[in-house]
Amino acid sequence: MITLDTVIQQLHIWDGQILLFIQEYIRHDWMDWFWKAVTHLGDGGVFWILLGIILLFSKKTRPAGVAALLALLVGALITNVCLKNFVARIRPYEVVEGLRLMIERQRDYSFPSGHTSASFAAACALVRTLPQKWGTVCMILAGVIALSRLYVGVHYPSDVLGGMVVGIFAGWAGWKLMQMLMLQMEKKRRSV
C-alpha cells in the first residue's frame, strides 16, 4: 500500500536527483556569473519593492505599484511568516550528497522559495496592471529568478513550485486589494 510518507520520500528523492542533474549537465563556468547575479536580484524582494515604489510616483502607474507592494506583503506573510516555519524543510545542500552550493548559505528554511514567491507575487500583480509588454518582461524575470534558485543549489524544485503557487495567489490578492483600496478612495473622494 502506498502511503503519504512513501510519496513524500519519493518526491524528495526526485527533487535531489533533479538538482544533481542540473549540477552535472546544466551548470557551466561561463554561465555561473549570470545565475548568481540573477539569484541575488531576488534577495529580500528588494528589486520588486523598489520597482513598486518607483511605480507609485506616476499617477498612471500608481495602481501597479500599489498592487505589487500589496502582493509582496501577502506573499511574505504566507511564505516567510507561515509556511517556512511550519514546514521547516532543510536546504538541499545540507541533505543531497554531492550537491555543491554556489552562493552563501541561507539563514532560513527551504520551503517554499521566498525569492520565487516574491518574484511571482510582484510579477502577477504587475501583469494585471501594466501594459502587456512590461507585464510579460516581469513574468519572464520572475521565471528566471525562480530557475536561478535551482541552478545555485539553494532550493529543491518543489520549493520553487511552492513559491510559484504562493506568488501567483499573492499577486492576485494584491491586485484585488488594490482594486478594493482604489474603490474606497474613489467613494471617499465623491462624498467630499
Side-chain angles (χ1 to χ4, degrees):
M1 180 170 168
I2 298 175
T3 65
L4 181 61
D5 283 343
T6 307
V7 171
I8 290 172
Q9 285 175 350
Q10 186 58 52
L11 289 174
H12 188 70
I13 290 168
W14 288 338
D15 263 352
Q17 289 172 339
I18 291 168
L19 290 175
L20 291 173
F21 177 87
I22 290 169
Q23 178 175 281
E24 183 69 25
Y25 298 104
I26 298 176
R27 277 188 191 175
H28 294 284
D29 292 342
W30 63 270
M31 289 194 307
D32 291 353
W33 69 270
F34 171 78
W35 291 104
K36 288 178 184 179
V38 167
T39 213
H40 286 305
L41 197 57
D43 288 353
V46 172
F47 171 81
W48 299 106
I49 293 167
L50 291 175
L51 180 58
I53 291 169
I54 290 167
L55 292 170
L56 293 176
F57 288 113
S58 169
K59 190 172 184 175
K60 185 177 178 184
T61 59
R62 192 167 296 139
V66 170
L69 293 171
L70 288 170
L72 287 164
L73 179 62
V74 170
L77 290 173
I78 295 170
T79 299
N80 297 76
V81 175
C82 297
L83 289 177
K84 278 190 183 273
N85 295 313
F86 177 74
V87 176
R89 188 177 197 188
I90 304 299
R91 295 280 178 166
Y93 53 81
E94 301 282 348
V95 180
V96 178
E97 191 174 323
L99 182 64
R100 291 185 311 276
L101 179 63
M102 293 185 67
I103 61 170
E104 65 282 349
R105 293 181 173 277
Q106 307 296 288
R107 293 186 296 251
D108 58 356
Y109 291 115
S110 194
F111 182 89
S113 166
H115 282 63
T116 304
S117 174
S119 296
F120 274 91
C124 286
L126 293 172
V127 82
R128 291 177 175 270
T129 53
L130 289 177
Q132 183 180 358
K133 68 178 179 179
W134 297 115
T136 301
V137 168
C138 290
M139 290 299 287
I140 291 169
L141 180 57
V144 173
I145 289 173
L147 290 174
S148 76
R149 304 306 282 169
L150 302 175
Y151 188 92
V152 299
V154 294
H155 279 294
Y156 293 102
S158 57
D159 297 340
V160 169
L161 289 174
M164 280 178 60
V165 170
V166 171
I168 290 167
F169 170 77
W172 173 83
W175 172 67
K176 288 305 260 184
L177 288 169
M178 177 274 298
Q179 287 183 319
M180 291 169 34
L181 185 64
M182 295 297 185
L183 187 63
Q184 288 299 322
M185 289 172 62
E186 182 63 26
K187 283 181 182 177
K188 198 178 253 188
R189 188 180 64 80
R190 286 183 182 172
S191 67
V192 173

